[in-house]
Amino acid sequence: MNIPDELFYTESHEWIRIDGDKGYIGISDYAQHNLGDIVFVELPDIDIEVNAGDQFAVIESVKAVSDVYSPLSGTIIEVNENLEGSPELLNEDPYENYIAVVAFTDISEKEKLMSAEQYEAFCIEEDKK
Amino acid sequence: MTKLIFERNVSGANSFQLPPLDIPAAEGAGKIPTHLLRETPPDIPSVSEVELIRHYTELSKRAYGVDNGFYPLGSCTMKYNPKINEWAARLPGFTQIHPYQAPETVQGALQLLYDMGNMLGEITGMDHFTLQPAAGAHGEMTGVMMIKAYHNKRGDFKRTKMMVPDSAHGTNPATANVVGYEVIEIKSNERGLVDIDDLKAKMSDEVAGLMLTNPNTLGLFEEEIQSIAAIVHEGGGLLYYDGANLNAIMGVCRPGDMGFDVVHLNLHKTFSTPHGGGGPGSGPVGVKAFLADFLPKPVITKNGDQYGFDYDRPDSIGKVKNFYGNFGVIVRAYTYIMAVGHEGLKDACQQAVLNANYLRCHLQGKYHIPFDRLCKHEFVISARNQMEANHVATLDIAKRLLDYGYHPPTIYFPLIIKEAMMIEPTETESRERLDSFIAAMEKIAAEAMDDPRVVQDAPHTTVIGRVDEVTAARSPIVKWEA
């Protein structure tokens, strides 16, 4: 299972890469593996405001339809439009292919997210369930 | 592969002749503006009558229904549909009437609808029923619209959220969303039941209610239902009963007595009407008396010995279906209830629960059973062990069941269980039939250990093997082209 060190993770299996005052959001390798073949990604509108934990995108795989939640509060300033035509990119490389970019408002919310090490332990627990 | 009907086209093969017109030609045909008329005739295949019949007969042999064999599709209650239901629905008194007829000329049909509402009320412990909704999700929408109308009528506009457990049928959050609610998910606890602490934490004066299935999709009875009802009611919300699993409690206990305010039923599940292939279904909704004003109109009334319609319902959410519901289906369900009676309904429920537990106990050891205790009408097993050992997934096992002649159970649901298979045998299966299914499941479990490829490559006996679901979803071809 691939869990890059430099990212932060949520219990709902999103990652965020902090880059100055914005964050790139995607889903983890664990998430894409468990979802199976992804067939559709519903991207958010640009400029919508989200709170940490708000659903902002939807991923449909052959197994299930899942919501994607924002790890931080802020404004969605960019979406990865490549996913509209090629949803399989999320399976192929879930870390290279972000879903959206959030201009976050409160970096202290990051404290509630998991480090790579914590997230790996969390996934191991999830698998035991 | 069977040819499509379009591929059977032979120019001139259809020699069907309409008789000469023996009445005056309708006037007005020439009045349709020419730009609205098509220039070329529609592309309808030309096939002789016998070839047409053979085509559809061949297709019908490919279909699999409960009349062909065991169909343990969890949460769908694929019970046998007694043929007496069909006899009743085809009685000329029901088939030769029209919904626009004057009420005094269709008293028998209205009496059936009126009595059906009362019987469903008695079975569920509710005060009033509407029979209009066309199926389960439509019933949910009708019920949740009434909940919204109730809060609005009281001027309580703050309630913008609907609670739904994480084990719920997908239609519950979808319904709440369509009616305009924000969905809040309630967690399940380690016993597979509603987490009371999570429910308490999320109940507020912004919550319109809780949609609950009892027993839930794991086949487990919500033992704390009275506490759940109290928490929701004390917070000013209403409690909605998803009737998908009523077969598990029918005749034994009643949602109305548990504290539910609104109930929808699936006549095509619990009350033995046709189900697959579009049914059509029927999703009656029952309410407690304090919600009666919001029922869809018209309401069927009885004055003395005369039945009629009451359209004067100012607080009604309005009509939710043309005319009065899927009448033919209601006749079938009415027939079922009358045929089996009070004791029969209870017996059906108990047999359904017994069959589910019989299967569960015999699959122990071969499959992981996450909540391995007394279940109701269905239970969930997991292919977790087969997955860990040899990468044999639930999907593989489901496909392998086709080779053994069974319709697979519901798979990958509920979402809270990994590699889930949700099995609901229903009451109409014999012990012999259950034993043969158990034998097939045991064989597949053994194959998963000794010869995993035979499971992973299944099915081997069907006309089509694995469908390419990924391409079908990513690049669907939805029409035929020459």
Side-chain angles (χ1 to χ4, degrees), chain B residues 274-316:
Chain B
H275 195 161
S282 178
V285 175
V287 294
K288 290 282 175 66
F290 73 96
L291 292 169
D293 288 348
F294 307 110
L295 283 166
K297 62 184 178 182
V299 167
I300 314 273
T301 57
K302 183 182 183 187
N303 289 317
D305 58 358
Q306 282 295 301
Y307 298 89
F309 297 115
D310 179 10
Y311 282 92
D312 185 19
R313 315 275 300 185
D315 287 331
S316 165

Side-chain angles (χ1 to χ4, degrees), chain B residues 87-155:
Chain B
W87 166 82
R90 287 170 193 173
L91 288 172
F94 295 132
T95 57
Q96 302 293 312
I97 56 175
H98 191 279
Y100 279 137
Q101 270 180 247
E104 54 271 25
T105 67
V106 287
Q107 286 293 300
L110 292 180
Q111 182 184 353
L112 182 141
L113 293 174
Y114 185 86
D115 289 348
M116 183 65 168
N118 285 342
M119 292 196 300
L120 296 178
E122 189 181 334
I123 292 167
T124 56
M126 306 307 281
D127 297 313
H128 299 281
F129 257 90
T130 175
L131 305 178
Q132 282 186 29
H138 192 195
E140 287 181 39
M141 193 185 81
T142 303
V144 175
M145 284 173 71
M146 284 193 270
I147 291 176
K148 193 171 199 179
Y150 162 81
H151 290 306
N152 286 352
K153 178 76 179 177
R154 291 157 47 92

Side-chain angles (χ1 to χ4, degrees), chain A residues 30 37-39 62-64 87-88 91 126-129, chain B residues 185 368 384 387-388 412 415 418-419 469-471 473-474:
Chain A
Y30 180 91
D37 289 303
I38 292 167
V39 296
V62 288
K63 278 192 204 164
E88 66 276 12
N91 291 119
E126 286 282 286
D127 274 337
K128 284 184 193 160
K129 280 184 189 171
Chain B
E185 195 172 272
H368 174 61
R384 199 177 76 172
M387 190 69 180
E388 276 173 14
Y412 297 114
L415 302 174
K418 293 203 175 86
E419 300 295 330
E469 291 179 56
V470 177
T471 305
R474 283 180 185 159

Side-chain angles (χ1 to χ4, degrees), chain B residues 3-16 43-52 54-55 480:
Chain B
K3 281 182 178 174
L4 298 177
I5 189 73
F6 294 96
E7 294 168 312
R8 295 185 185 276
N9 175 56
V10 175
S11 182
N14 177 8
S15 54
F16 203 81
D43 189 15
I44 295 173
S46 180
V47 183
S48 69
E49 182 173 326
V50 65
E51 288 300 330
L52 181 83
R54 285 172 184 162
H55 176 72
W480 175 82

Side-chain angles (χ1 to χ4, degrees), chain B residues 116-349:
Chain B
M116 183 65 168
N118 285 342
M119 292 196 300
L120 296 178
E122 189 181 334
I123 292 167
T124 56
M126 306 307 281
D127 297 313
H128 299 281
F129 257 90
T130 175
L131 305 178
Q132 282 186 29
H138 192 195
E140 287 181 39
M141 193 185 81
T142 303
V144 175
M145 284 173 71
M146 284 193 270
I147 291 176
K148 193 171 199 179
Y150 162 81
H151 290 306
N152 286 352
K153 178 76 179 177
R154 291 157 47 92
D156 188 352
F157 299 111
K158 255 172 79 180
R159 297 183 188 270
T160 56
K161 298 171 182 173
M162 183 63 75
M163 299 189 295
V164 175
D166 58 9
S167 63
H169 295 109
T171 48
N172 291 173
T175 296
N177 198 355
V178 165
V179 179
Y181 285 113
E182 184 190 328
V183 177
I184 309 180
E185 195 172 272
I186 305 296
K187 286 196 198 104
S188 298
N189 63 22
E190 68 287 349
R191 299 190 71 232
L193 304 174
V194 168
D195 183 326
I196 299 289
D197 291 334
D198 196 43
L199 177 70
K200 275 185 191 157
K202 286 172 179 165
M203 186 65 216
S204 75
D205 60 0
E206 293 182 358
V207 171
L210 169 68
M211 299 180 78
L212 196 64
T213 310
N214 195 16
N216 65 19
T217 56
L218 297 162
L220 303 174
F221 191 82
E222 294 285 356
E223 295 156 7
E224 300 290 330
I225 183 59
Q226 286 172 315
S227 309
I228 293 169
I231 292 165
V232 173
H233 287 150
E234 280 162 20
L238 298 185
L239 197 56
Y240 181 92
Y241 183 85
D242 178 326
N245 296 345
L246 185 77
N247 211 43
I249 60 168
M250 175 176 67
V252 176
C253 62
R254 313 193 303 173
D257 300 332
M258 299 176 201
F260 286 94
D261 303 295
V262 186
V263 166
H264 94 262
L265 304 178
N266 300 278
L267 299 187
H268 48 284
K269 296 183 181 179
T270 321
F271 297 96
S272 83
T273 70
H275 195 161
S282 178
V285 175
V287 294
K288 290 282 175 66
F290 73 96
L291 292 169
D293 288 348
F294 307 110
L295 283 166
K297 62 184 178 182
V299 167
I300 314 273
T301 57
K302 183 182 183 187
N303 289 317
D305 58 358
Q306 282 295 301
Y307 298 89
F309 297 115
D310 179 10
Y311 282 92
D312 185 19
R313 315 275 300 185
D315 287 331
S316 165
I317 61 165
K319 244 177 174 308
V320 297
K321 172 97 170 73
N322 49 348
F323 304 122
Y324 321 110
N326 282 332
F327 180 70
V329 179
I330 297 165
V331 173
R332 288 170 174 87
Y334 177 93
T335 307
Y336 174 72
I337 295 172
M338 296 303 278
V340 301
H342 270 95
E343 286 306 310
L345 291 178
K346 185 176 175 181
D347 189 45
C349 163

